[in-house]
């Protein structure tokens, strides 16, 4: 077993339960609260009760509870890749987490066969996580474009985004797992109602899908990195072809789906994690260095938070929006105590 281990529990700044979250001001004029600091390339946000769990690309899970922040080790069966954009990526708690102590993770590893992505089930034991079972292996991995988002849909299925691993042709190959949105049962088996028979493929023709979110009526939306520009926000329907590499941005072709929103050929968002609320999608933007709001009814796009650098994931609970920066990922400009988990009231977002 390959062990990724932090030899001690590292208490981050803002760890004292007696100390309230720190308020900060961004260049957009938004008042924010810092919930946790000194994170190491945080990638995914989830929450159980009053406790946050964040995955870090370097191979940890950060637990934030009652103002106390601790870094938990993750023991994986394969050596974690340190390639660009790779590592411990998607992380989502099992629906019965409070009873089972289980979660699902997507990570990039290396072995004698090269670099590969896999989806596994983890179990929490004595404040560390152990890889318990492999649900899906041999998802293509390349220098970049690993995908990596995991979400449990309203149908109780596990959804995963898989990038094209810089092999654009596999996005159009329904027999390949890369360049896809995948759908699994929680035990790793193929759902009987998947659109491609005996296949995990839910939709195809994707370049590097990053975020997933559902509306209350069950409609699925996804964010996707374009080629230099032409980033996309798509409405995902089972079995549909989203065009890459045949079309991109506003281009159209029979049998292929064009996006609801695109950054266009002269602008890059590099959209990542996303959430839905009240007819709007809130999307983390890496290159765009913002939280973006997409109004699905009005068809409009705007920045609602900026001035904090690269944003990797977003999470909404009640009236609050939470998000993590990614300035320590090698492509940003880390500030003091980066990276951070922030909180902001939805009512205070930039109008």
């Amino acid at each position: 077993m390959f062990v990724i281990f932090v030899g001690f529990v590292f208490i981050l700044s803002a760890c004292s339960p007696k100390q309230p979250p720190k308020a900060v001001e961004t260049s957009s004029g938004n008042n924010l609260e810092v919930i946790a600091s000194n994170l190491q390339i945080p990638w995914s946000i989830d929450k159980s009760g009053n406790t946050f769990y964040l995955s870090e690309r370097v191979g940890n899970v950060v637990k934030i509870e009652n103002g106390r922040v601790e870094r938990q080790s993750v023991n994986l069966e394969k050596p974690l890749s340190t390639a660009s954009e790779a590592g411990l990526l998607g992380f989502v708690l099992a629906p019965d987490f409070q009873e089972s102590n289980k979660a699902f993770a997507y990570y990039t590893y290396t072995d004698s066969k090269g670099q590969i992505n896999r989806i596994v089930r983890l179990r929490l034991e004595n404040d560390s996580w152990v890889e318990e079972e492999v649900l899906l292996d041999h998802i293509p991995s390349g220098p970049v474009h690993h995908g990596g988002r995991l979400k449990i849909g309203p149908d109780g299925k596990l959804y995963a985004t898989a990038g094209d691993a810089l092999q654009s042709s596999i996005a159009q190959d329904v027999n390949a797992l890369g360049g896809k949105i995948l759908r699994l049962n929680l035990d790793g088996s193929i759902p009987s109602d998947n659109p491609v028979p005996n296949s995990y493929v839910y939709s195809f023709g994707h370049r590097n899908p990053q975020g997933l979110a559902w509306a209350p009526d069950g409609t699925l939306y996804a964010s996707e990195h374009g080629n230099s520009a032409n980033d996309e926000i798509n409405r995902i329907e089972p079995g549909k072809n989203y065009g890459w590499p045949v079309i991109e941005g506003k281009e159209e072709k029979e049998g292929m789906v064009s996006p609801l929103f695109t950054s266009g050929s002269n602008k890059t968002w590099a959209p990542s994690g996303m959430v839905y609320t009240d007819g709007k999608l809130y999307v983390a933007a890496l290159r765009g260095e913002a939280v973006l709001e997409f109004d699905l009814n009005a068809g409009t796009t705007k920045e609602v938070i900026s001035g904090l650098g690269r944003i990797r994931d977003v999470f909404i609970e009640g009236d609050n929006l939470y998000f993590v920066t990614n300035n320590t990922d090698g492509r940003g400009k880390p500030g003091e105590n980066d990276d951070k988990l922030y909180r902001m009231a939805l009512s205070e977002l930039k109008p």
Side-chain angles (χ1 to χ4, degrees):
M1 176 183 290
F2 182 83
V3 178
I4 297 170
F5 181 72
V6 177
F8 57 90
V9 176
F10 183 78
I11 304 300
L12 307 172
S13 66
C15 67
S16 170
K18 298 180 181 180
Q19 205 167 25
K22 181 181 179 182
V24 298
E25 183 89 6
T26 76
S27 61
S28 299
N30 295 321
N31 292 313
L32 298 164
E33 292 176 312
V34 177
I35 305 302
S37 303
N38 296 312
L39 303 173
Q40 298 176 5
I41 323 178
W43 212 90
S44 208
I45 307 171
D46 205 355
K47 196 167 189 276
S48 176
N50 295 319
T51 305
F52 280 100
Y53 292 88
L54 314 181
S55 64
E56 294 181 316
R57 249 180 58 195
V58 294
N60 307 306
V61 170
V62 175
K63 177 184 177 182
I64 306 166
E65 183 178 37
N66 298 324
R68 178 175 293 277
V69 185
E70 67 178 50
R71 182 166 283 120
Q72 299 175 326
S73 62
V74 181
N75 305 316
L76 301 171
E77 294 290 341
K78 296 285 189 176
L80 197 67
S81 172
T82 58
S84 180
E85 302 179 8
L88 179 61
L89 304 176
F91 177 88
V92 62
L93 301 170
D96 63 348
F97 168 70
Q98 293 189 355
E99 294 76 37
S100 69
N101 280 343
K102 294 180 180 180
F104 303 95
Y106 184 116
Y107 74 92
T108 315
Y109 68 90
T110 55
D111 65 10
S112 60
K113 297 178 181 178
Q115 186 173 289
I116 306 166
N117 294 305
R118 62 166 32 172
I119 299 170
V120 301
R121 186 170 64 238
L122 303 176
R123 185 180 69 257
L124 181 61
E125 295 182 348
N126 300 320
D127 294 323
S128 65
W129 295 86
V130 177
E131 182 176 328
E132 184 177 65
E133 184 178 357
V134 178
L135 302 187
L136 180 58
D137 208 347
H138 300 104
I139 301 170
S141 179
V144 290
H145 300 182
H146 313 291
R149 187 68 53 192
L150 289 182
K151 291 286 184 180
I152 296 175
D155 57 3
K157 307 300 183 184
L158 181 63
Y159 290 74
T161 65
D164 69 2
L166 275 188
Q167 304 173 56
S168 60
S169 62
I170 69 173
Q172 289 294 315
D173 180 359
V174 294
N175 295 312
L177 295 176
K180 309 294 189 298
I181 292 175
L182 308 173
R183 181 175 182 256
L184 300 72
N185 291 319
L186 298 188
D187 63 1
S189 61
I190 298 172
S192 60
D193 59 347
N194 268 10
V196 179
N198 301 311
S199 172
Y200 292 105
V201 173
Y202 190 73
S203 63
F204 65 106
H206 298 289
R207 182 176 180 270
N208 192 23
Q210 287 281 299
L212 298 170
W214 285 265
D217 66 1
T219 302
L220 172 60
Y221 299 92
S223 64
E224 183 168 339
H225 289 190
N227 186 18
S228 298
N230 291 309
D231 297 319
E232 299 181 356
I233 303 296
N234 287 294
R235 180 190 293 115
I236 302 299
E237 297 181 64
K240 293 295 180 69
N241 180 354
Y242 288 81
W244 176 254
V246 182
I247 62 171
E248 57 180 323
K250 297 179 180 179
E251 296 175 347
E252 297 181 354
K253 186 177 177 62
E254 185 176 357
M256 297 181 178
V257 181
S258 298
L260 295 176
F261 300 90
T262 177
S263 64
S265 58
N266 297 313
K267 187 174 183 179
T268 300
W269 298 323
S272 190
M274 64 191 297
V275 288
Y276 174 101
T277 188
D278 195 26
K280 297 174 181 177
L281 294 169
Y282 291 95
V283 181
L286 294 160
R287 185 76 62 84
E289 298 191 346
V291 175
L292 304 173
E293 178 191 278
F294 297 88
D295 190 316
L296 295 166
N297 297 315
T300 56
T301 305
K302 65 180 180 181
E303 292 184 0
V304 292
I305 294 175
S306 61
L308 297 167
R310 297 166 63 81
I311 312 296
R312 171 57 73 178
D313 198 18
V314 286
F315 183 93
I316 286 178
E317 183 179 60
D319 298 326
N320 292 312
L321 172 72
Y322 298 83
F323 62 94
V324 285
T325 55
N326 238 201
N327 295 315
T328 60
D329 68 355
R331 297 177 177 176
K333 298 178 180 178
E336 184 178 1
N337 299 322
D338 265 339
D339 277 314
K340 300 173 185 176
L341 170 66
Y342 290 94
R343 176 175 62 204
M344 174 172 239
L346 288 167
S347 60
E348 295 181 8
L349 293 176
K350 183 179 177 181

